[in-house]
Amino acid sequence: MTEATRREPGTPCWVSLMVRGLDATEEFYGELFGWEFRPGPPELGPYVRALLDGREVAGIGRLPVDRGLPGAWTAYLASDDADRTAESVRCSGGTVAVGPLDAGDAGRLAICSDPCGAVFGVWQAAAFPGTSVPGVPGAPVWNELLTYESEQVVKFYRTVFGYGTGPSASAGQDRAVLLVEGRPAVSVRGVGAALPRSRGAHWTTWFEVTDPDASARRVEELGGRTLRPPQDGPEGRRAVVADPEGAVFTVVRSTGR
C-alpha cells in the first residue's frame, strides 16, 4: 500500500454486513444505493464487495447457518498493526472475538468489542485500503457509537487508537467527537435508557443520499422499515432505517450538500 492510500489509525476505512440471505441482501442494497457486486477474498467465505461506479464501498457476507445472530453493519477502524491493536483492546478491557487473521493479500483484520459490548472491526491494509469513495451518495459518510454513557468508552477508544477529543457537546447532550490528526473521525453518543435492550451498545453506519425522504420510502418499498422518520439536525437531514433482515443504518443528506 502506498503512502497516498494509508489511513491514520482510528480512521473509519470499511463497513461490512453479515446476513443470512446474501442474494436477497444484494438485491435490496443494489436497488437502494445502485451498488453492484463482485466476490471478495475466498478466505472470508461467502462474501462480496459492493461497488459504486466500479469502486469498493462496503462488504456483505453470509452468516454461518448455525449462528442465530441478527444482521448488523460493522465499522472497521484503520490500524498500522492489527496484532498490536488487538492486544491493546484486550489490555484496555475489550474483547477480541475473531483474529487477527489474514484476508489473503488484501490485509489483516480482527473483530473486537469494547468494554460495553459494541462490536467493531480492525483493518490493517495491504493490497486493499478499504472504502474508495467515502461520502458520496451511496457510500458511507459517518460512523457513530451508541452506548449508555460516553466517558468510559471514550477513554477506551482513545487508548487503543490514540484519538483526540473534539469540542464538548452542548448542554444536555452526552456526545463526544473523536479526532484523527485534528479532524473529526467518529462520534460517541451516550443515550442512557434509550439504548435498545435488544441490541445494547453498537456502532451505526450512515450512508450519504441525495434525498433521505425518498430513500426511506424506497427502503419500505423494498421490504425494510423506517425506524426514525426523516428529520433535520446539525449533521443534516437523516432517517434511521432497517433492511429486510433487520440491520439498522442511517441515510443522511449531510449539511452543506
Side-chain angles (χ1 to χ4, degrees), residues 7-233:
R7 288 180 167 94
E8 289 294 326
T11 304
C13 57
W14 190 241
V15 292
S16 188
L17 173 64
M18 299 299 290
V19 296
R20 291 180 293 276
L22 189 55
D23 292 343
T25 300
E26 288 184 37
E27 183 176 354
F28 172 84
Y29 286 99
E31 291 288 338
L32 181 63
F33 292 137
W35 290 351
E36 298 177 335
F37 302 89
R38 71 179 178 199
E43 294 84 358
L44 300 181
Y47 185 85
V48 295
R49 286 179 180 162
L51 308 178
L52 189 64
D53 296 327
R55 304 176 71 180
E56 295 94 342
V57 291
I60 303 177
R62 182 178 295 141
L63 284 165
V65 294
D66 59 343
R67 301 288 293 275
L69 298 173
W73 281 99
T74 299
Y76 282 74
L77 306 175
S79 169
D80 287 338
D81 186 330
D83 295 80
R84 186 174 62 207
T85 299
E87 184 60 26
S88 181
V89 167
R90 295 188 187 97
C91 293
S92 303
T95 301
V96 179
V98 177
L101 55 84
D102 290 327
D105 62 357
R108 190 162 174 81
L109 67 86
I111 304 296
C112 307
S113 59
D114 67 29
C116 295
V119 175
F120 63 96
V122 172
W123 181 248
Q124 177 188 341
F128 180 68
T131 301
S132 300
V133 284
V136 302
V141 67
W142 190 248
N143 293 276
E144 182 169 73
L145 171 61
L146 300 182
T147 190
Y148 184 75
E149 64 89 21
S150 68
E151 184 177 3
Q152 176 190 3
V153 77
V154 164
K155 291 179 180 178
F156 167 83
Y157 286 99
R158 292 190 68 185
T159 298
V160 173
F161 292 105
Y163 288 120
T165 305
S168 299
S170 58
Q173 285 192 332
D174 180 12
R175 183 175 186 265
V177 176
L178 304 184
L179 310 179
V180 173
E181 295 194 321
R183 296 187 297 271
V186 298
S187 53
V188 179
R189 188 185 299 271
V191 297
L195 191 68
R197 290 187 179 182
S198 60
R199 299 193 66 198
H202 61 280
W203 282 90
T204 64
T205 297
W206 299 18
F207 293 92
E208 186 73 30
V209 296
T210 56
D211 186 340
D213 297 74
S215 293
R217 290 193 297 270
R218 188 62 176 143
V219 164
E220 295 183 350
E221 291 169 358
L222 294 168
R225 294 177 295 143
T226 298
L227 305 180
R228 186 176 301 164
Q231 58 185 350
D232 294 319

